[in-house]
Amino acid sequence: MTRMSRARVARRIAAGAAYGGGGIGLAGAAVVGLVLAEVRLARRHVGNGTEPRVPNADGLYGRTYDTQGDPPLRLTILGDSTAAGQGVHRVGQTPGALLASGLAAVAERPVRLRNVALPGARSDDLDRQVTLSLSDPALVPDVCVIMIGANDVTNRMPPTQSVRHLSAAVRRLRTAGAEVVVGTCPDLGTIEPVQQPLRWLARRASRQLAAAQTIGVVEQGGRTVSLGDLLGPEFAANPRELFGPDNYHPSAEGYATAAMAVLPTLCAALGLWPADEERPDVTRHEGYLPVARAAAEAASEAGTEVTAAMPTGPRGPWALLKRRRRRRVTATEPAPT
């Protein structure tokens, strides 16, 4: 599928989500039986994760920066098992710990982390997670990171419903005063043991959903980072732990890769990134595009950021597409539970 056709499909999905349209099929009805057979075969071949425990990374990071008396920044993680950190055994390997440590280092300020993500969650669980995040009006997060979408694809949730739930979650968080960064649906077509035609369908569904998620998030004032095929090498190296409707399990290196991609956007959302990095760099093919086209470009290239720019243009809202330089992040201290 070309990027222009992906942009058109993403616009249709986002419009259906916004105006209450029905689901848009990502595969024809004639192949549904074949796809379901391939899904069952893939699950038997790949296997599901067997470690139910998720390290509890909640706590205070960057204690050494607590010298100026400023209150800690509040970071909340929402989403599915990728956001929760399922599949690793140490707190410092979870994406929440990595992002909290990286944010504290950039801001030179402590960061209070709270993770409300649920392994196996689909986008329809975000309403519950947002309610938890905003339960104390005095402790509204400064910034939230959402990673969601893989279980929507494997459980065949209609993409319009998926985007509708995500857009509503971003809208609630933004209305409460929190900045929002969304890591869009990863490319499930990178999973090596999955055979055709499921692999092609999984890639197509994942990228269509990621592009539509981007449109919905940007329209609500959030930012997105494409996870795309960032985790592809992790699937290839650890296939037995990396696929299943409730278990999307990168390795420690996979989580570090994802955190490296998200951290610059997380910092930029809080005004902490260098000013010269905020200007589009034509040498990296950055610039202003219609939001649907920017969404399609981002879905095709992992690590790409999309954020709102001009409210309108000849072809609707426009967005800024950036390919930020990644910075290695390491959790330097264990978090108290």
Side-chain angles (χ1 to χ4, degrees):
M1 175 178 288
T2 66
R3 294 181 184 181
M4 291 304 294
S5 60
R6 186 179 297 121
R8 287 193 295 270
V9 172
R11 279 197 299 266
R12 289 168 54 205
I13 294 172
Y19 298 109
I24 298 176
L26 295 174
V31 299
V32 168
L34 177 59
V35 171
L36 292 178
E38 286 283 350
V39 168
R40 288 191 290 270
L41 179 62
R43 287 175 182 169
R44 287 197 300 270
H45 182 75
V46 178
N48 288 325
T50 58
E51 175 55 65
R53 179 180 175 274
V54 178
N56 185 349
D58 289 6
L60 188 68
Y61 292 76
R63 293 175 179 274
T64 56
Y65 300 111
D66 191 13
T67 59
Q68 301 177 356
D70 294 328
L73 290 169
R74 292 185 292 273
L75 167 63
T76 298
I77 309 292
L78 306 89
D80 56 20
S81 56
T82 306
Q86 190 165 359
V88 295
H89 305 289
R90 295 198 294 272
V91 164
Q93 297 172 328
T94 62
L98 293 165
L99 289 172
S101 294
L103 179 59
V106 173
E108 296 185 346
R109 182 174 168 185
V111 173
R112 175 73 64 181
L113 172 67
R114 185 184 185 194
N115 195 322
V116 299
L118 178 68
R122 304 182 305 179
S123 294
D124 53 5
D125 190 58
L126 288 176
D127 181 65
R128 181 192 65 83
Q129 295 183 30
V130 171
T131 297
L132 282 174
S133 303
L134 303 178
S135 58
D136 188 343
L139 298 175
V140 172
D142 294 296
V143 64
C144 296
V145 173
I146 304 174
M147 296 180 182
I148 200 78
N151 295 314
D152 296 18
V153 174
T154 60
N155 286 278
R156 299 176 61 234
M157 172 180 279
T160 50
Q161 291 184 20
S162 179
V163 174
R164 188 179 301 131
H165 288 300
L166 176 59
S167 298
V170 175
R171 181 167 57 250
R172 287 181 63 191
L173 293 169
R174 294 290 292 131
T175 300
E179 298 291 339
V180 181
V181 176
V182 174
T184 55
C185 182
D187 183 355
L188 299 180
T190 59
I191 305 171
E192 290 294 335
V194 177
Q195 301 300 310
Q196 299 291 10
L198 179 58
R199 181 184 296 186
W200 179 83
L201 290 167
R203 170 171 285 112
R204 183 174 179 232
S206 301
R207 292 189 176 185
Q208 285 182 1
L209 179 57
Q213 286 177 320
T214 295
I215 295 175
V217 169
V218 169
E219 288 180 345
Q220 299 303 325
R223 302 179 184 224
T224 63
V225 178
S226 170
L227 296 183
D229 59 1
L230 273 178
L231 304 175
E234 306 310 316
F235 285 119
N238 303 288
R240 290 191 60 80
E241 295 185 11
L242 295 175
F243 184 76
D246 297 329
N247 299 308
Y248 179 76
H249 297 158
S251 67
E253 283 298 316
Y255 282 127
T257 301
M260 279 192 291
V262 172
L263 180 62
T265 300
L266 176 64
C267 295
L270 293 171
L272 299 172
W273 214 238
D276 60 347
E277 281 281 318
E278 296 307 298
R279 293 189 294 271
D281 186 340
V282 295
T283 65
R284 298 205 295 263
H285 304 287
E286 299 177 347
Y288 297 96
L289 297 169
V291 65
R293 184 178 164 192
E297 292 275 349
S300 300
E301 184 174 344
T304 305
E305 173 191 322
V306 179
T307 187
M310 295 172 283
T312 188
R315 286 174 285 178
W318 282 54
L320 173 60
L321 183 144
K322 289 191 66 65
R323 297 175 172 90
R324 296 185 183 276
R325 296 185 178 91
R326 300 174 197 167
R327 310 237 173 145
R328 182 72 180 181
V329 291
T330 304
T332 57
E333 59 183 279
T337 58

